[in-house]
Amino acid sequence: MAKNVLIIGAGGVAQVVAHKMAQNAKEFGSLHIASRTVAKAEQIITSIREKGHSVEFSTHPLDAMDSNAVAALIRKIDANIVINVGSSFVNMTVLQGCIDTGAAYLDTAIHEDPAKICETPPWYGNYEWKRREACEKAGVTAILGVGFDPGVVNAYARLAEDEYFDKVDSIDIVDINAGSHGRWFATNFDPEINFREFTGTVYAWQGGKWTENKMFEVGREWDLPVVGKQTAYLSGHDEVHSLSARYKDADVRFWMGFGAHYINVFTVLQNLGLLSEKPVKTAEGLEVVPLKVVKAVLPDPASLAPDYQGKTCIGDLVKGSQDGKPGEVFIYNVADHKQAYEEVGSQGISYTAGVPPVAAAILVARGTWDVKKMVNVEDLPARPFLELLGDLGLPTRVIDATGDHPL
Amino acid sequence: MAKNVLIIGAGGVAQVVAHKMAQNAKEFGSLHIASRTVAKAEQIITSIREKGHSVEFSTHPLDAMDSNAVAALIRKIDANIVINVGSSFVNMTVLQGCIDTGAAYLDTAIHEDPAKICETPPWYGNYEWKRREACEKAGVTAILGVGFDPGVVNAYARLAEDEYFDKVDSIDIVDINAGSHGRWFATNFDPEINFREFTGTVYAWQGGKWTENKMFEVGREWDLPVVGKQTAYLSGHDEVHSLSARYKDADVRFWMGFGAHYINVFTVLQNLGLLSEKPVKTAEGLEVVPLKVVKAVLPDPASLAPDYQGKTCIGDLVKGSQDGKPGEVFIYNVADHKQAYEEVGSQGISYTAGVPPVAAAILVARGTWDVKKMVNVEDLPARPFLELLGDLGLPTRVIDATGDHPL
């Protein structure tokens, strides 16, 4: 029987998810989208209509911080798959709603406590993985972090394991956005989440243990397809925290590209204390979280889409050996901001994050990935996912001993 | 009969004023200090006691935005002179309290409306000067802007007029703080007022009319006594708006020294919209004025004093002619942050702003400056003021055709 899908969230990524669901409606039963502000969900439906899709798509108001409300909505609409692309603060309540009702759970970013920045590694161990047993007991499929990074890059690592190396020595994930939005400064997704990624300790898994650095302390120049030479910095990121569990003997690092301008703005805000998640009190006695004010003055990431030009390149450089013979492979995708906007009305960063959970939902609906337990993406066969992503607009390419070629 | 004095405000400048009043208590009757937060006034009294002054000094709670409350306090303590060194937003209510009771009014900065940045020139015309007639009618002495700049620099201009030139061609006021507070970033006085000075249009009076520039658009290197070569930028400042009225045929400019680090931080905050005085709404629906949050995260200017090292140089380069013979004179003061801290527990910027209104109060008490009307500092004889300032710790020096010498 066709599976009903509920999207939670109505931001830039949710917009991509909803468009892609509409494009692939034949894979599913009824389609639903829920948001605290239902008007935002309705705007997304309007943009889907503008692209000529007439598929039925219901909108619902929802406080996703309330797991009972989540469960009640799932029951009401008989949802079988929940795609959580709301704020990172709602993961655990949405997951609980799925466990309570038996719906499959997909998300694209790790859970965060609004009051804490950068908890102890592995991050998944602090929240999601504590529900592994509950998922298994309830027979609930929960696929964690199935956006692009985390998500597709985890599948790239698994592909290297499956098809290239019997021993993996290192996984370097490199994320370069060589696009330009034309604004003086903007973040590509929710500024609150964007900055929180970089204000804490940078954890990497190297030499069989967690290593700690500060943001922008370790930089390296990369020469990548299409985007060329780019400087990327060792950064903290979700996927390092799951990949290090499966690839204990490999070094796992995440590198994010930054220009000097971004680093300068970040450094000023950080050093002044404006990226703090802890409230300060104004002279007038008002309690305010500085980071939330920074978010309020920055451009809405969704507003960048119409003018966004250029391309992203995100990939995994995996080194290892097969039968004792060392080698390396770079598995990657190049996405185009303008193409993404023309197709779904979003910029490339939202596009790369929003297409993968739809591919995952299709695989769950088809049964391929309906594993009835909690997993990260590298725990699942990679090829069906990557091939489907190619059909959905995120083709994988590989640079190996034979050259640069499609998957 | 000895005149009773009421200080309004309990910030860094008020601390200097109170210390200097205590040092010169014999010039006055009873001494009083009032603040919204009376505990801050009490701290100032404690710091005066720590310097060994046992003079009686009363503290009072006061909402200076309420002119009736100001008048009531003036009547209660029978104050004859009010030194307003509270926020720039209370000038008009404090002035009204003085007009209603006949007390003399002194302040050190122009009135500002919290909701407006950079109004049309001349700024005094928007608020204070509208009360000229009321002051004259009530026989109230009101001396506007009698800090250092505005204040002493206005007297420097008047000194050049009185003793050097029968025709003044240009007045360039240069303010260099070559001190170092050792923090990553801090403003030397209330960040809200500090930044508001630079976010609007830079008005100068040149060629007999108002000219407009952006902040940091026009820079010039100056080579000054003690502090040496320093880059200063054409900036908006109160005294340009009064001096241009008295010296209509002269160019009047204000130059403020800034390092590259200050300019970078300012530029980032300004371009992001974080220096705005207009409220924004956070995602959670809280209305916040970004500038007030920036103020909340920055160091309290008073906290910089113990570690502040180095010197300030503030002066007027006045060009003109006497009997048709052209000439120029640089009239200036050099102050030392550490000396200021040792004497009154404040850094040099507060010291230079806080000593002049005490000198003015002494001149009002003695009758020399008790003019029973509203004036700016350049409207009063300069020499008695500058000589008294020398006795109080802010000696004037002059560079003229005869060399560099004390006044």
Side-chain angles (χ1 to χ4, degrees), chain B residues 19 25 30 66 116 180 401:
Chain B
H19 272 261
S30 62
D66 175 358
K116 294 179 187 170
S180 166

Side-chain angles (χ1 to χ4, degrees), chain B residues 44-100:
Chain B
I44 289 176
I45 304 307
T46 303
S47 80
I48 290 173
R49 298 283 172 255
E50 284 166 4
K51 295 290 179 189
H53 299 287
S54 56
V55 58
E56 203 172 311
F57 219 127
S58 315
T59 60
H60 308 272
L62 176 66
D63 174 7
M65 298 287 274
D66 175 358
S67 64
N68 290 327
V70 173
L73 179 58
I74 290 172
R75 286 196 185 98
K76 183 179 158 198
I77 63 176
D78 196 19
N80 309 103
I81 300 173
V82 173
I83 301 181
N84 170 26
V85 282
S87 116
S88 302
F89 307 142
V90 306
N91 284 18
M92 295 313 292
T93 45
V94 173
L95 176 59
Q96 190 57 50
C98 291
I99 293 170
D100 292 345

Side-chain angles (χ1 to χ4, degrees), chain A residues 350-386:
Chain A
S350 301
Y351 189 85
T352 55
V355 174
V358 177
I362 292 173
L363 293 179
V364 170
R366 291 179 184 170
T368 324
W369 269 16
D370 195 13
V371 291
K372 307 291 182 196
K373 59 180 178 177
M374 175 182 281
V375 291
N376 289 81
V377 174
E378 62 271 31
D379 301 321
L380 297 166
R383 205 167 246 282
F385 180 53
L386 297 178

Side-chain angles (χ1 to χ4, degrees), chain A residues 36 184-185 192 264-265 267-269 271-274 280-284 286-290 292-298, chain B residues 36 184-185 192 264-265 267-269 271-274 280-284 286-290 292-298:
Chain A
R36 190 173 44 179
W184 192 80
F185 184 84
E192 199 173 350
N264 181 47
V265 171
T267 303
V268 167
L269 295 177
N271 282 346
L272 294 186
L274 286 166
V280 296
K281 199 180 263 190
T282 69
E284 293 74 21
L286 190 65
E287 285 226 342
V288 198
V289 174
K292 292 187 183 293
V293 179
V294 171
K295 173 176 171 170
V297 299
L298 288 182
Chain B
R36 188 173 46 181
W184 192 80
F185 184 85
E192 198 173 350
N264 181 47
V265 170
T267 304
V268 167
L269 295 177
N271 283 346
L272 294 186
L274 286 165
V280 296
K281 198 180 263 190
T282 69
E284 294 73 21
L286 190 66
E287 284 227 341
V288 198
V289 174
K292 291 185 183 295
V293 179
V294 171
K295 173 176 171 170
V297 299
L298 288 182

Side-chain angles (χ1 to χ4, degrees), chain B residues 227-281:
Chain B
V227 300
K229 286 190 180 173
Q230 301 278 350
T231 302
Y233 295 83
L234 198 63
S235 310
H237 229 239
D238 308 0
E239 52 271 45
V240 177
H241 296 258
S242 64
L243 289 169
S244 60
R246 187 177 180 90
Y247 304 100
K248 283 184 191 65
D249 300 325
D251 291 341
V252 184
R253 291 172 287 252
F254 181 87
W255 303 84
M256 178 79 94
F258 292 96
H261 178 60
Y262 183 101
I263 296 174
N264 181 47
V265 170
F266 175 88
T267 304
V268 167
L269 295 177
Q270 165 86 328
N271 283 346
L272 294 186
L274 286 165
L275 300 184
S276 174
E277 81 289 5
K278 298 201 175 73
V280 296
K281 198 180 263 190

Side-chain angles (χ1 to χ4, degrees), chain A residues 46-334:
Chain A
T46 302
S47 80
I48 291 173
R49 298 285 172 253
E50 284 166 3
K51 294 291 179 190
H53 300 287
S54 56
V55 56
E56 205 172 310
F57 219 126
S58 315
T59 60
H60 309 269
L62 176 66
D63 175 6
M65 297 289 273
D66 175 357
S67 63
N68 291 328
V70 174
L73 179 59
I74 291 172
R75 287 197 186 98
K76 182 180 159 200
I77 63 177
D78 196 19
N80 308 104
I81 300 172
V82 173
I83 302 181
N84 169 26
V85 283
S87 117
S88 302
F89 308 141
V90 305
N91 284 18
M92 296 312 292
T93 44
V94 174
L95 176 59
Q96 190 59 49
C98 290
I99 292 170
D100 292 345
T101 56
Y105 171 85
L106 311 178
D107 68 29
T108 65
I110 209 158
H111 184 75
E112 295 189 42
D113 180 326
K116 295 179 185 169
I117 278 189
C118 199
E119 304 190 52
T120 48
W123 292 342
Y124 285 108
N126 299 317
Y127 299 101
E128 285 89 343
W129 287 352
K130 289 183 176 167
R131 294 288 179 280
R132 272 178 175 161
E133 214 172 308
C135 284
E136 190 127 25
K137 206 171 154 192
V140 162
T141 297
I143 305 177
L144 305 178
V146 64
F148 204 99
D149 44 341
V152 178
V153 298
N154 305 48
Y156 288 167
R158 175 66 186 265
L159 187 78
E161 177 199 340
D162 286 350
E163 305 191 4
Y164 285 86
F165 304 122
D166 53 26
K167 181 170 173 291
V168 175
D169 295 330
S170 64
I171 302 167
D172 284 289
I173 301 157
V174 190
D175 180 331
I176 301 291
N177 174 17
S180 167
H181 48 58
R183 305 292 185 92
W184 192 80
F185 184 84
T187 56
N188 293 306
F189 52 100
D190 185 346
E192 199 173 350
I193 304 300
N194 181 273
F195 286 126
R196 284 171 64 105
E197 277 191 4
F198 310 127
T199 46
T201 305
V202 170
Y203 289 110
W205 180 259
Q206 300 180 97
K209 62 180 199 300
W210 290 105
T211 59
E212 300 184 15
N213 287 96
K214 284 190 189 140
M215 193 62 210
F216 304 120
E217 187 184 340
V218 184
R220 188 191 289 184
E221 195 186 67
W222 299 82
D223 193 357
L224 301 186
V226 183
V227 298
K229 285 190 179 172
Q230 300 278 350
T231 302
Y233 295 83
L234 199 62
S235 310
H237 229 240
D238 308 359
E239 53 271 45
V240 176
H241 295 259
S242 64
L243 289 168
S244 60
R246 185 176 182 92
Y247 304 100
K248 283 185 191 65
D249 300 325
D251 291 343
V252 184
R253 291 172 286 253
F254 181 88
W255 304 85
M256 178 79 92
F258 292 95
H261 178 60
Y262 183 102
I263 295 174
N264 181 47
V265 171
F266 175 88
T267 303
V268 167
L269 295 177
Q270 165 86 327
N271 282 346
L272 294 186
L274 286 166
L275 300 185
S276 175
E277 82 289 5
K278 298 200 176 72
V280 296
K281 199 180 263 190
T282 69
E284 293 74 21
L286 190 65
E287 285 226 342
V288 198
V289 174
L291 182 52
K292 292 187 183 293
V293 179
V294 171
K295 173 176 171 170
V297 299
L298 288 182
D300 176 356
S303 75
L304 307 174
D307 302 317
Y308 226 125
Q309 303 279 338
K311 295 181 195 291
T312 65
C313 177
I314 314 175
D316 291 20
L317 176 65
V318 184
K319 297 185 182 183
S321 55
Q322 180 74 11
D323 303 324
K325 197 186 153 205
E328 67 177 63
V329 58
F330 185 64
I331 310 169
Y332 71 100
N333 166 264
V334 169

